[in-house]
């Protein structure tokens, strides 16, 4: 993994953010690898999507100011930011951008009480946007909000009707729809 990401960084002179999502790739980029990659000039951050706060804290502590640590797991994004992470690369923000912005801004400012209150209204959305494989639920939700037309391309399949009301209710709870 180190050699691959270093080769890409050496070949492409743009700022790059690593993405660690073992649930999608079946490979977990270990902290030691991230720390080594933090020394590569145009690697500027990592989207850490494990949801493991001990891992996130280790990366924040060991990487220091070399790279920014972002959450890639909305359900634990608040906790990561309160540990010193720099933000969240979010699925939920596609459906509730204002609320996610306000939650992140409060967390980054250290206002844990305000951030937790906002995040509480988003918890159902964080969960229900993953009732099926991402991005199936988020595309359905965006369609329900009139942000995109219907239809979905293979290999994705339509969002199962049995989940519609749960996701719709979490959208209401988050203030994304009325």
């Amino acid at each position: 993994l180190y050699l691959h990401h270093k080769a890409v960084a050496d070949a492409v002179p743009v700022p790059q953010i690593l993405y660690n999502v073992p649930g999608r790739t079946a490979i977990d980029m270990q902290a030691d690898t991230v720390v080594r990659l933090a020394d590569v000039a145009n690697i500027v951050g990592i989207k850490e999507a494990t949801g493991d706060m001990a891992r996130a804290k280790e990366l924040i502590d060991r990487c220091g100011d070399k790279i920014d640590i972002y959450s890639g797991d909305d359900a634990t994004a608040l906790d990561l930011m309160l540990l010193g992470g720099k933000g969240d690369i979010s699925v939920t923000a596609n459906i509730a951008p204002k609320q996610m912005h306000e939650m992140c801004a409060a967390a980054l400012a250290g206002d844990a009480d305000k951030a937790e209150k906002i995040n509480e209204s988003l918890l159902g959305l964080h969960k229900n946007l993953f009732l099926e494989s991402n991005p199936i639920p988020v595309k359905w939700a965006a369609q329900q909000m009139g942000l995109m037309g219907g239809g979905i391309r293979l290999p994705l399949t339509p969002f199962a009707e049995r989940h519609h009301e749960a996701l719709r209710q979490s959208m209401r709870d988050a203030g994304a729809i009325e």
Side-chain angles (χ1 to χ4, degrees):
L1 284 175
Y2 172 81
L3 292 174
H4 169 77
H5 287 288
K6 184 174 182 324
V8 171
D10 289 344
V12 183
V14 297
Q16 297 169 35
I17 296 178
L18 304 169
Y19 184 16
N20 187 33
V21 59
R24 283 192 174 266
T25 62
I27 295 174
D28 186 2
M29 191 179 313
Q30 297 298 307
D32 288 341
T33 303
V34 176
V35 170
R36 287 177 64 204
L37 287 165
D39 288 326
V40 177
N42 55 335
I43 294 179
V44 299
I46 183 169
K47 177 180 176 180
E48 176 58 36
T50 63
D52 179 343
M53 290 305 100
R55 163 81 62 85
K57 181 64 172 152
E58 178 183 1
L59 290 173
I60 291 165
D61 291 344
R62 292 181 64 194
C63 292
D65 291 333
K66 292 179 182 180
I67 65 171
D68 292 333
I69 312 302
Y70 299 97
S71 176
D73 176 54
D74 288 320
T76 59
L78 170 61
D79 296 329
L80 187 143
M81 287 182 281
L82 292 175
L83 288 173
K86 300 298 184 188
D88 180 27
I89 300 173
S90 172
V91 172
T92 301
N94 288 286
I95 304 305
K98 180 177 186 274
Q99 299 88 331
M100 283 298 295
H101 167 76
E102 290 172 353
M103 186 274 290
C104 290
L108 292 170
D111 189 343
D113 290 339
K114 180 178 180 181
E116 287 171 3
K117 182 177 180 188
I118 297 166
N119 194 54
E120 188 160 316
S121 72
L122 297 167
L123 292 175
L125 202 50
H126 296 331
K127 175 185 168 203
N128 290 336
L129 285 172
F130 290 90
L131 286 169
E132 292 185 13
S133 294
N134 181 39
I136 293 169
V138 75
K139 285 182 175 287
W140 180 87
Q143 187 271 329
Q144 295 298 298
M145 296 169 71
L147 299 174
M148 62 179 278
I152 198 161
R153 292 187 312 242
L154 292 172
L156 301 178
T157 58
F159 188 50
E161 191 170 334
R162 72 181 180 277
H163 297 309
H164 289 191
E165 188 50 38
L167 181 49
R168 192 176 285 114
Q169 185 58 52
S170 63
M171 292 167 70
R172 284 188 208 103
D173 293 345
I177 61 171
E178 292 184 16

